[in-house]
Amino acid sequence: SFHVDARTFVVIANAGDAATGSPSSGSLVVYEMLSAVLQERFRIDGLETGRIVDVAYFHLNSAEWLAIASNSTVPDTSGIIQTPKLLLYTWATSNCSASITCPVSFEHFSSLPIDMCESVTHFISAGRDLLIYGGERQLEVVTFASLAALSGTATAPAVNGVATFTDLSINLAQPNYRLLYSAGALEPHAGASFKVQVGLAEASILEAPAYGFASLGGSPFGNQPLIA
């Protein structure tokens, strides 16, 4: 399961029917939980004629990702055992104006062949997203480069042991950020992890009356209306 802001999703992977020799019968379905009811939002059947055996979710670079372990162990209808592989699918939620109304649409990003692909696990190490996948004979690790960038003045004077940074910003909204601090000969120190979220406008402020406002009398509202 995973969350996109206030929305909750459940991913169900079906390995297919090995007894009938139908490796292409595997499927992956994304459901959304609405009022305690699961509603189907997205479905993939017969992923490259492989059997789906495991799936992992992660959020990176303002997009949602599914890593799917496809591992065929029986021949297809043509008598061919398909190459096991790790499949990467991405849903670019950042392209939507609002995540609450964004239609679920995962698109194929990459396929990584391997001798055996029985599982896939996502984890974060030293601030980097990693995938480890494979089987008992071989394991592979994939690392991802973040597109996030820190902007602003990254140096500040320390006054009584306290340095204040006033104009730092990060260009991507996602979790698990950490800042690394250094000062002269002191050992560098990484701060606690934190999440960056997209902010919403809360109010409009009338900076100056419009033309002709003064001739009509009155004054700006004391409490400005909220923007929905």
Side-chain angles (χ1 to χ4, degrees), residues 3-207:
H3 298 272
V4 177
D5 293 335
R7 302 171 69 181
T8 301
F9 297 92
V10 176
V11 180
I12 298 178
N14 170 30
D17 189 356
T20 60
S22 300
S24 62
S25 63
S27 62
L28 182 140
V29 187
V30 179
Y31 295 92
E32 183 173 6
M33 178 69 75
L34 293 173
S35 302
V37 177
L38 289 176
Q39 296 191 13
E40 183 175 321
R41 294 302 192 202
F42 186 78
R43 184 184 188 96
I44 309 174
D45 291 308
L47 284 179
E48 299 186 20
T49 66
R51 296 174 59 244
I52 303 170
V53 294
D54 198 11
V55 60
Y57 160 82
F58 59 102
H59 178 90
L60 179 68
N61 294 331
S62 295
E64 320 308 317
W65 293 76
L66 290 178
I68 303 166
S70 176
N71 193 63
S72 298
T73 57
V74 295
D76 59 19
T77 54
S78 301
I80 299 175
I81 298 179
Q82 299 295 323
T83 301
K85 58 182 70 71
L86 179 72
L87 305 172
L88 294 175
Y89 278 73
T90 181
W91 171 23
T93 48
S94 61
N95 293 337
C96 298
S97 58
S99 61
I100 194 66
T101 58
C102 191
V104 181
S105 180
F106 282 94
E107 297 182 355
H108 180 256
F109 178 80
S110 181
S111 299
L112 306 175
I114 190 173
D115 288 344
M116 179 179 292
C117 196
E118 297 177 326
S119 65
V120 57
T121 302
H122 168 262
F123 61 98
I124 296 174
S125 176
R128 302 186 67 181
D129 287 82
L130 306 175
L131 286 177
I132 183 169
Y133 66 100
E136 59 182 12
R137 297 195 303 268
Q138 179 184 3
L139 287 175
E140 296 284 348
V141 177
V142 176
T143 63
F144 295 84
S146 175
L147 299 179
L150 179 68
S151 301
T153 304
T155 59
V159 179
N160 296 325
V162 177
T164 302
F165 300 87
T166 59
D167 66 343
L168 296 180
S169 63
I170 296 176
N171 64 330
L172 287 181
Q174 59 189 30
N176 300 313
Y177 282 111
R178 299 181 73 185
L179 295 180
L180 181 66
Y181 303 93
S182 61
L186 299 177
E187 288 289 332
H189 176 75
S193 63
F194 61 93
K195 180 178 182 179
V196 173
Q197 293 179 295
V198 177
L200 298 177
E202 294 184 352
S204 62
I205 300 175
L206 185 60
E207 297 289 353

